[in-house]
Amino acid sequence: MEALIPVINKLQDVFNTVGADIIQLPQIVVVGTQSSGKSSVLESLVGRDILPRGTGIVTRRPLILQLVHIDPEDRRKTSEENESKKNGRLYRGIDGEEWGKFLHTKNKIYTDFEEIRQEIEAETERISGNNKGISDDPIHLKIFSPHVVNLTLVDLPGITKVPVGDQPKDIEIQIRELIFKYISNPNSIILAVTAANTDMATSEALKVAREADTDGRRTLAVVTKLDLMDAGTDAMDVLMGRVIPVKLGIIGVVNRSQLDINQKKLVADAIRDEYAFLQKKYPSLANRNGTKYLARTLNRLLMHHIRDCLPELKTRINVLAAQYQSLLNSYGEPVDDKSATLLQLITKFAAEYCRTIEGTAKYIETAELCGGARICYIFHETFGRTLESVDPLGGLTTIDVLTAIRNATGPRPALFVPEVSFELLVKRQVKRLEEPSLRCVELVHEEMQRIIQHCSNYSTQELLRFPKLHDAIVEVVTSLLRKRLPVTNEMVHNLVAIELAYINTKHPDFADACGLMNNNIEEQRRNRMRDLPTAVPRDKSLKGPSGQSLSPTELPSFEGEVAKAAAGGSQSGSVSEQNDGGMGNWRGMLKRGEDSAAGDRAMQQSPYPSSPQKGHAVNLLDVPVPVSRKLSAREQRDCEVIERLIKSYFLIVRKNIQDSVPKAVMHFLVNHVKDCLQSELVGQLYKTALLNDLLTESEDMAQRRTEAADMLKALQKASQVIAEIRETHMW
């Protein structure tokens, strides 16, 4: 059991060498108000004057004090502490049986304890200033002596309320935060120091101890200045725990006064006087109080506490060792063969880039879509939905259609719907598919750029070691993508231009639509004939322009016009159809156009701002057609036919574009970059003149590798120390 505390001291030394505080080791933390006697208690435990003394705030930095018990005959045989590598000989400066060492002075040995006190003052002023400021940067001191027990203590600045000197206004908050930083460690024992000449109910030390240790299992109370209580009073009730009970106990001590310190009274003499005082004032409690009993109690509590904490410490150290080993592996080894390393990194990046596109990457993103998955989403969700949202008749009104029909007839009245008007209008609508197609190319190009960063951050962390190589790879890939972008855009532009170059009215899907439309129009004609008024003789209603009767089969069928306009045929009807209102031809429409009432139907403009053309078609007639007016049945029928044909053909083209654009993007951009990436990188970067520059490691990465290696070595050494204890069955 007694050997457990030196083990903790060894672990503390191991982690001190790397300046790390990642392991919370068992230790005793001394807290109390300013001038409550904390430093005097520590000096009594050490048996020497080593701490700065005075009025006001004296302890302004945490002091981690390790007491190491040594046998007098072995004090010069501990090679770890005394051996100097200079000339292979032992240090000759250790003439006494006690000495001390600071962490910040490395291997310097202090045998003069007055010099230790001066070094503490100098180191405190170096960091905290020469006034009253505080710092959380600890001072590490080890004391080797045959007169001490194995302990690890932390002396903290005293709790204060009012700032003095150059202390900040929030000095109280800073000190409390510093205290809680140490006492919140579940592996620490809290030594709450309170002066006997103050009321225990107002003890700040016990208050903060209870805040950090709510169940009181880690708190030991020390009552100082028993000899300074008012005449007629004693601390019997306090020491017996009747005022405020403390689970680990309450121990009273008698410190040296400031006069004793000024007169250089030895600590050993003070301990003898303390024992005599306790025998006189508290004879029944003398054996359970005093500095010697406090030292033995602290040693016992710390050993039991270490025994309980060691299994958890071992687990924690093993976990951290595995983490730092993985971290060190990610930093890589120093480069020996630069050519092979460069080629390996280029090949690995190119392979990882391609695997990210194909969806077989080692590191799969779970927060969002990336790589090939996002490209697929762009093709089938973003691009597909955008095309589906394009209205086939967007941007066209009935007046636009009618004006196009009239402009296509020239100066002659038209007997049938001109095919040119359909072709003109459908090209205008198909042209609107070009902008979303080019936007699809742009989105895929942006995703290809994002894959570069994804590979750098998640997949090829070795590139982070060489920032210049990383920048060069990014530049080469970006340049390759930039070169392929105009080629892909040109191909997509050509796909739309191909559709515009030839309006294939013989397309099977379009012919089927025309046939269905013919059937619908024939059905509508029969319905209109059935609905003719009975007062009108049917033979009169079927008179031709010259008064001769026409059979139903001789009537000019409008579906013939539709089929003619769709198929581009040259046949024409023999007779123009008469309308009930005498508005069956273009002359009647022109004659009565100015007197017509407002039209009952006009389609709204398309809400899509991506349409390349806006507004109405230009009217080429000398007499402008009113924007809104009542259309004749013939006009309505003509416009309806054109609109249905436009919609049918537009849907066919949209389907083609939706299928061909992703294929073009994959061939000209994605697959080309995948196939040429490695050869492009090798051709641009694998050059002897660039080796040294590209493989220059960043200083930050080299420093982090060194720190990780040192920490891993410290953790492995700590694990070995704990393993040695386990082998000796110490717990």
Side-chain angles (χ1 to χ4, degrees):
M1 284 287 292
E2 189 68 27
L4 288 178
I5 296 178
V7 169
I8 295 300
N9 291 339
K10 287 183 179 180
L11 293 179
Q12 185 70 57
D13 294 341
V14 168
F15 294 117
N16 286 344
T17 57
V18 293
D21 194 21
I22 58 174
I23 297 291
Q24 294 179 321
L25 297 174
Q27 55 192 5
I28 300 171
V29 182
V30 184
V31 297
T33 57
Q34 186 173 298
S35 300
S36 61
K38 303 187 310 303
S39 299
S40 297
V41 171
L42 291 178
E43 286 184 339
S44 298
L45 294 174
V46 176
R48 290 278 192 161
D49 292 331
I50 60 171
L51 300 177
R53 305 298 295 271
T55 59
I57 183 169
V58 178
T59 304
R60 296 185 288 128
R61 286 180 62 183
L63 175 65
I64 299 178
L65 179 62
Q66 293 177 259
L67 304 182
V68 181
H69 175 79
I70 59 172
D71 293 332
E73 55 274 7
D74 294 338
R75 67 180 183 271
R76 296 175 62 90
K77 299 178 182 178
T78 308
S79 60
E80 179 184 355
E81 305 298 342
N82 301 335
E83 187 174 355
S84 170
K85 295 183 179 180
K86 293 182 178 180
N87 301 325
R89 294 179 297 178
L90 297 177
Y91 254 119
R92 303 191 178 208
I94 307 178
D95 296 328
E97 61 181 5
E98 300 174 296
W99 68 89
K101 287 178 60 177
F102 286 98
L103 178 64
H104 62 273
T105 58
K106 305 303 179 183
N107 293 323
K108 184 177 180 180
I109 303 298
Y110 295 84
T111 55
D112 185 355
F113 284 86
E114 179 65 20
E115 190 177 356
I116 292 178
R117 184 182 62 80
Q118 294 175 357
E119 180 61 29
I120 294 175
E121 291 179 348
E123 183 66 12
T124 300
E125 292 181 359
R126 185 179 67 85
I127 301 297
S128 304
N130 54 9
N131 208 326
K132 301 297 181 180
I134 68 169
S135 171
D136 61 352
D137 187 17
I139 300 174
H140 293 267
L141 172 63
K142 294 182 71 173
I143 299 295
F144 301 86
S145 172
H147 307 299
V148 298
V149 294
N150 292 311
L151 289 176
T152 300
L153 306 113
V154 180
D155 187 21
L156 297 174
I159 301 172
T160 185
K161 297 291 185 181
V162 181
V164 296
D166 60 356
Q167 292 178 344
K169 294 182 179 180
D170 62 341
I171 184 65
E172 179 184 2
I173 298 176
Q174 289 188 19
I175 292 178
R176 285 180 63 87
E177 290 177 350
L178 178 59
I179 291 174
F180 275 98
K181 176 182 177 181
Y182 284 89
I183 65 176
S184 59
N185 174 13
N187 295 333
S188 65
I189 295 176
I190 304 173
L191 190 64
V193 179
T194 304
N197 55 1
T198 61
D199 191 349
M200 285 286 289
T202 63
S203 173
E204 287 288 335
L206 290 176
K207 178 183 177 182
V208 297
R210 282 189 175 182
E211 292 179 15
D213 179 29
T214 55
D215 55 4
R217 295 182 179 180
R218 299 187 290 116
T219 302
L220 174 68
V222 175
V223 179
T224 62
K225 304 180 181 180
L226 291 176
D227 56 334
L228 298 182
M229 297 186 67
D230 293 339
T233 62
D234 60 33
M236 183 66 69
D237 291 340
V238 173
L239 296 176
M240 294 292 292
R242 297 168 184 165
V243 178
I244 297 179
V246 180
K247 287 187 178 181
L248 295 184
I250 302 176
I251 299 176
V253 296
V254 177
N255 300 330
R256 291 180 299 169
S257 66
Q258 188 62 43
L259 178 62
D260 294 336
I261 295 172
N262 295 338
Q263 293 178 350
K264 306 295 184 181
K265 184 177 182 179
L266 298 178
V267 175
D269 296 338
I271 291 176
R272 283 194 297 269
D273 294 343
E274 175 192 51
Y275 179 75
F277 175 82
L278 292 175
Q279 288 289 349
K280 179 179 178 182
K281 293 286 293 182
Y282 307 97
S284 61
L285 301 178
N287 293 333
R288 288 179 291 162
N289 289 276
T291 301
K292 290 186 176 181
Y293 181 78
L294 174 62
R296 292 195 302 271
T297 302
L298 290 176
N299 180 264
R300 175 177 54 82
L301 290 175
L302 188 58
M303 284 191 298
H304 285 285
H305 199 60
I306 292 172
R307 181 193 61 189
D308 297 337
C309 295
L310 270 180
E312 182 181 350
L313 280 177
K314 180 178 182 297
T315 302
R316 172 68 174 161
I317 289 173
N318 291 338
V319 170
L320 285 174
Q323 292 177 352
Y324 274 92
Q325 181 65 61
S326 176
L327 182 63
L328 187 61
N329 293 339
S330 68
Y331 292 154
E333 298 294 333
V335 178
D336 295 328
D337 189 348
K338 293 188 176 181
S339 298
T341 301
L342 179 59
L343 186 58
Q344 178 184 5
L345 291 176
I346 290 176
T347 303
K348 185 173 182 179
F349 178 88
E352 193 63 33
Y353 190 92
C354 296
R355 284 196 294 265
T356 304
I357 294 176
E358 295 168 357
T360 58
K362 181 179 179 181
Y363 298 90
I364 298 178
E365 181 67 55
T366 58
E368 62 177 355
L369 293 178
C370 69
R374 181 176 286 272
I375 293 175
C376 179
Y377 182 86
I378 293 170
F379 286 157
H380 302 291
E381 298 293 333
T382 306
F383 179 59
R385 290 180 180 179
T386 301
L387 289 187
E388 291 173 1
S389 67
V390 178
D391 185 6
L393 301 177
L396 285 180
T397 64
T398 304
I399 296 300
D400 292 335
V401 177
L402 183 59
T403 304
I405 294 173
R406 294 175 60 184
N407 287 336
T409 62
R412 296 172 300 281
L415 297 177
F416 309 104
V417 178
E419 182 181 353
V420 177
S421 60
F422 161 73
E423 187 169 329
L424 173 67
L425 293 174
V426 80
K427 285 184 177 180
R428 168 179 168 179
Q429 298 306 101
V430 170
K431 183 69 175 175
R432 299 171 60 223
L433 298 175
E434 181 175 5
E435 184 172 343
S437 301
L438 294 176
R439 177 58 180 161
C440 176
V441 178
E442 183 180 349
L443 290 176
V444 174
H445 176 267
E446 291 175 358
E447 178 57 27
M448 300 281 282
Q449 286 285 131
R450 290 179 69 249
I451 296 176
I452 303 174
Q453 193 63 31
H454 174 82
C455 294
S456 301
N457 293 341
Y458 299 100
S459 304
T460 54
Q461 293 187 0
E462 293 90 343
L463 284 179
L464 300 179
R465 296 175 54 193
F466 312 107
K468 292 185 178 181
L469 176 60
H470 176 267
D471 295 342
I473 289 178
V474 170
E475 179 62 29
V476 171
V477 181
T478 302
S479 176
L480 179 59
L481 291 172
R482 194 184 303 119
K483 287 190 297 185
R484 298 306 302 174
L485 183 60
V487 177
T488 310
N489 283 335
E490 182 65 22
M491 182 59 196
V492 171
H493 174 77
N494 288 337
L495 289 176
V496 179
I498 288 170
E499 297 291 345
L500 295 173
Y502 180 65
I503 305 301
N504 182 18
T505 54
K506 287 292 186 180
H507 193 284
D509 295 339
F510 188 66
D512 293 342
C514 290
L516 182 61
M517 193 181 303
N518 290 342
N519 295 335
N520 292 338
I521 294 176
E522 177 66 21
E523 184 66 25
Q524 292 174 7
R525 186 182 67 80
R526 291 174 181 173
N527 292 338
R528 283 197 300 272
M529 291 184 64
R530 262 196 316 268
D531 295 340
L532 286 175
T534 57
V536 180
R538 186 167 297 277
D539 57 351
K540 184 177 180 180
S541 66
L542 299 178
K543 294 292 184 179
S546 60
Q548 60 183 6
S549 298
L550 298 176
S551 65
T553 56
E554 293 173 328
L555 286 173
S557 62
F558 196 75
E559 61 268 28
E561 300 177 14
V562 173
K564 179 181 183 303
S570 59
Q571 296 180 353
S572 61
S574 60
V575 183
S576 65
E577 183 176 274
Q578 298 296 316
N579 195 298
D580 293 340
M583 298 291 290
N585 52 45
W586 292 107
R587 288 191 194 86
M589 186 268 293
L590 290 173
K591 181 177 180 181
R592 295 170 177 79
E594 297 180 355
D595 299 330
S596 298
D600 58 353
R601 174 173 169 269
M603 297 185 65
Q604 296 296 324
Q605 293 289 336
S606 170
Y608 299 95
S610 61
S611 177
Q613 300 182 11
K614 296 182 179 180
H616 301 290
V618 178
N619 189 349
L620 300 179
L621 294 177
D622 294 336
V623 181
V625 177
V627 175
S628 297
R629 64 177 178 79
K630 185 178 178 67
L631 302 181
S632 67
R634 170 68 180 273
E635 291 171 345
Q636 291 179 0
R637 196 162 58 237
D638 291 349
C639 292
E640 183 179 353
V641 168
I642 291 296
E643 288 174 354
R644 289 186 179 182
L645 292 175
I646 291 174
K647 183 175 182 180
S648 176
Y649 195 82
F650 180 87
L651 294 179
I652 294 172
V653 175
R654 186 174 70 182
K655 184 178 180 181
N656 294 340
I657 293 296
Q658 190 171 353
D659 179 65
S660 58
V661 168
K663 293 178 179 178
V665 174
M666 286 298 298
H667 176 72
F668 287 93
L669 181 61
V670 180
N671 290 341
H672 186 278
V673 171
K674 283 173 52 181
D675 296 339
C676 301
L677 179 59
Q678 182 167 354
S679 60
E680 190 76 13
L681 288 172
V682 172
Q684 295 287 338
L685 303 179
Y686 192 66
K687 300 177 181 178
T688 306
L690 300 177
L691 281 178
N692 293 330
D693 186 49
L694 293 178
L695 294 182
T696 300
E697 196 172 36
S698 64
E699 296 180 0
D700 180 59
M701 181 61 66
Q703 180 181 357
R704 282 190 287 177
R705 186 196 297 109
T706 302
E707 292 175 354
D710 293 342
M711 180 57 68
L712 179 61
K713 186 182 297 183
L715 290 168
Q716 291 173 343
K717 186 175 181 180
S719 181
Q720 292 175 358
V721 171
I722 295 180
E724 291 174 0
I725 302 175
R726 189 173 187 132
E727 290 176 359
T728 57
H729 305 286
M730 289 188 176
W731 87 78

